Amino acid sequence: MFTALFFMMVVFLLALDVPGLLRQGLKKDLVIYALFMLLAIYLSMVQFYHWPFFNPFLELAAKIQTP
Amino acid sequence: MTRLTNIQLFCILVITMITTPYQVLAKLLAVTVAQHGWLAILGSILPGFILVWAYYYILVNSSRPFPGLLEEHCGTVTGKILGFIYIWVFYLVAVKSLVIFANFFLSNVLPGMPISILLIFIILPAFYALRKGLEASVRTVELITITGYPLAMLLLFFGLGPETDWSRLLPLGGFAVADLFYGILLVSTYSSFMIVVLTLGPFCHQPGNLWKWMFSAYGLFLLSTLVIAVIPIVTYGSALTSVQTFPAFNIARSTNIAGFIHNIEIILVSAVMPGVFGVLAIFWFVTCYSIQQVFGLQDYRIMVGPTAIMAGILAVLLVPNIHFMYIMLERIFPWIFITLFGLLPLLLALVIRLKRPKDLQPGMMAGNN
């Protein structure tokens, strides 16, 4: 359910931004936008499906906690 | 190009510097230096003034907003690499403000509420404001500062009840000097959030006159942090303050003036929430603007969508609970922020000073005066 809602939100954002970029022929902007959107989707999948994720801050905090 | 008034920039600086300390600084200082938090704040005056001067010096000697000015002074390759790093550090501040907000709500106000719903409620207005452009965000921040800041401070003063004991700030001796220096570093971390002026300053009508507003904002920051750090100590003592999750909230909760003014914690929540919106919106804007500058994009607003999703997810992923949040706030984030928002700008100011021709007056390079 939550994943479906998330993908609806992604589609909404794509519909909001991509047509304008295509119309203006801003290819570089489109590539950067796509890269950030893919990163956002990947991070969401990490959260939804508990994929492995290296969190340097948490590793450091755990080390500080147990000297 | 959107133009900001100097008073709007002042409001932005006040909100970005004071909101986070309002929530967490009293506890952080109580843990680090016990009752000597006020000494750490006094000790941070000089480093802070040097930092403000460095920001102003960089601002008047640059023709592009930050991080574009890094390319101007450090060369294209170094400037792009540094700019790329700054994108993520600005983003980290935005995500950190979300984390503190979520933990504050979940531990004090609405325990058991799904964190995703909570995050959506704060991200959505900021998303809308940023999509509408800088002017919408700045006008909102201006309103928040004028209405929310005095209210938040007033609520702290209400905490000075009959149990107030000023001797809890003493004794002066008996502290480790290293701890005091760490306390100064903690306070300086939040004054270094003034770095947003390097991005937003060029949007002002008169960047040459900004120094007055920058120093005023820094003065207000010092006074506010002093109040934020001292009142919980004189009310609860350093031991009790150091174990509370959010001392300011506890002060509001326990306030009872003649049985008439009480149960006012919800007013504190309603003052803190817009403040968090302000920090989030400003650092989020600076992140998107930095992406635009580093990658040479047409408009920063297209980056608001993907970064909105990432902010929500990272706020959950990076910090699992309030315990780790405080470890990160106390031991990890200050080093990152002080290095990139404090030391690097100081070095940059030095580089500009050394590279500047001797017969050129400050400000002439930018054509600001």
Side-chain angles (χ1 to χ4, degrees):
Chain A
M1 172 67 178
F2 203 78
T3 318
L5 275 175
F6 167 76
F7 275 105
M8 277 171 65
M9 192 171 69
V10 171
V11 170
F12 169 74
L13 287 173
L14 290 173
L16 203 67
D17 295 321
V18 174
L21 292 174
L22 286 174
R23 211 172 23 249
Q24 293 174 65
L26 299 168
K27 283 183 187 159
K28 189 169 73 176
D29 297 40
L30 195 61
V31 170
I32 302 295
Y33 179 85
L35 280 175
F36 272 84
M37 189 55 96
L38 283 174
L39 185 61
I41 293 170
Y42 166 73
L43 287 172
S44 309
M45 294 301 105
V46 167
Q47 173 63 22
F48 296 154
Y49 297 112
H50 307 289
W51 288 359
F53 176 68
F54 176 71
N55 181 353
F57 299 120
L58 197 57
E59 298 286 326
L60 260 173
K63 279 209 171 91
I64 290 167
Q65 191 190 19
T66 51
Chain B
M1 187 181 177
T2 310
R3 283 282 169 201
L4 307 180
T5 61
N6 289 350
I7 187 84
Q8 282 176 331
L9 193 86
F10 170 79
C11 292
I12 289 170
L13 296 181
V14 168
I15 281 284
T16 49
M17 287 197 293
I18 296 175
T19 304
T20 311
Y22 188 83
Q23 293 166 288
V24 295
L25 189 66
K27 180 190 168 74
L28 290 175
L29 286 177
V31 169
T32 316
V33 286
Q35 73 272 27
H36 301 113
W38 60 281
L39 275 179
I41 292 165
L42 294 182
S44 72
I45 292 176
L46 186 66
F49 270 109
I50 294 170
L51 205 56
V52 176
W53 172 83
Y55 291 145
Y56 179 71
Y57 190 78
I58 295 168
L59 194 64
V60 292
N61 285 292
S62 307
S63 55
R64 292 175 65 186
F66 193 84
L69 61 87
L70 289 169
E71 291 174 45
E72 189 182 328
H73 299 298
C74 306
T76 310
V77 178
T78 316
K80 290 262 185 221
I81 293 169
L82 282 174
F84 188 75
I85 294 168
Y86 271 104
I87 290 172
W88 297 107
V89 183
F90 286 137
Y91 200 48
L92 182 65
V93 182
V95 171
K96 181 191 67 106
S97 71
L98 277 178
V99 169
I100 297 172
F101 164 77
N103 280 293
F104 169 71
F105 250 71
L106 292 177
S107 64
N108 288 294
V109 189
L110 296 164
M113 188 181 188
I115 192 168
S116 49
I117 303 293
L118 205 55
L119 291 173
I120 286 170
F121 272 118
I122 195 82
I123 290 175
L124 209 59
F127 171 83
Y128 186 75
L130 288 185
R131 288 285 305 195
K132 280 283 167 193
L134 178 63
E135 206 175 338
S137 312
V138 171
R139 279 186 182 276
T140 316
V141 168
E142 191 181 356
L143 280 173
I144 291 167
T145 312
I146 292 165
T147 55
Y149 170 78
L151 189 64
M153 284 295 139
L154 191 68
L155 287 176
L156 276 182
F157 281 109
F158 279 162
L160 293 172
E163 69 279 11
T164 303
D165 181 1
W166 291 93
S167 68
R168 284 174 177 146
L169 294 172
L170 302 171
L172 275 182
F175 58 83
V177 177
D179 288 344
L180 187 68
F181 274 104
Y182 199 75
I184 293 172
L185 178 101
L186 278 176
V187 179
S188 304
T189 300
Y190 296 106
S191 54
S192 73
F193 284 1
M194 194 187 261
I195 195 167
V196 295
V197 78
L198 296 181
T199 303
L200 296 166
F203 289 94
C204 286
H205 289 289
Q206 298 163 305
N209 289 335
L210 271 183
W211 64 272
K212 294 174 200 162
W213 297 95
M214 289 167 68
F215 279 107
S216 306
Y218 182 64
L220 195 59
F221 164 80
L222 283 174
L223 281 175
S224 308
T225 46
L226 211 53
V227 172
I228 290 161
V230 163
I231 290 182
I233 298 289
V234 297
T235 309
Y236 298 119
S238 61
L240 199 53
T241 304
S242 65
V243 293
Q244 291 174 352
T245 48
F246 294 98
F249 186 79
N250 290 333
I251 284 176
R253 182 177 274 166
S254 60
T255 296
N256 190 335
I257 301 172
F260 178 63
I261 300 175
H262 57 103
N263 294 335
I264 55 170
E265 61 265 35
I266 197 64
I267 301 174
L268 181 128
V269 173
S270 61
V272 167
M273 257 183 85
V276 175
F277 163 86
V279 182
L280 176 68
I282 295 304
F283 274 98
W284 192 359
F285 166 80
V286 175
T287 305
C288 294
Y289 192 77
S290 301
I291 295 172
Q292 184 204 4
Q293 293 265 307
V294 171
F295 294 103
L297 307 182
Q298 189 88 4
D299 191 355
Y300 73 88
R301 277 177 292 192
I302 57 157
M303 297 316 301
V304 176
T307 47
I309 298 173
M310 276 163 61
I313 297 293
L314 282 174
V316 184
L317 271 180
L318 284 184
V319 187
N321 55 46
I322 198 164
H323 173 67
F324 281 108
M325 182 190 89
Y326 267 109
I327 293 178
M328 290 178 195
L329 284 175
E330 190 195 334
R331 296 281 158 194
I332 301 172
F333 293 153
W335 293 107
I336 299 172
F337 297 145
I338 210 69
T339 307
L340 285 151
F341 296 165
L343 296 179
L344 267 173
L346 282 175
L347 268 177
L348 187 65
L350 202 66
V351 167
I352 295 170
R353 183 74 189 87
L354 293 174
K355 278 170 74 176
R356 193 163 57 92
K358 279 181 183 165
D359 55 338
L360 201 62
Q361 293 300 310
M364 286 176 71
M365 281 168 81
N368 287 327
N369 286 348

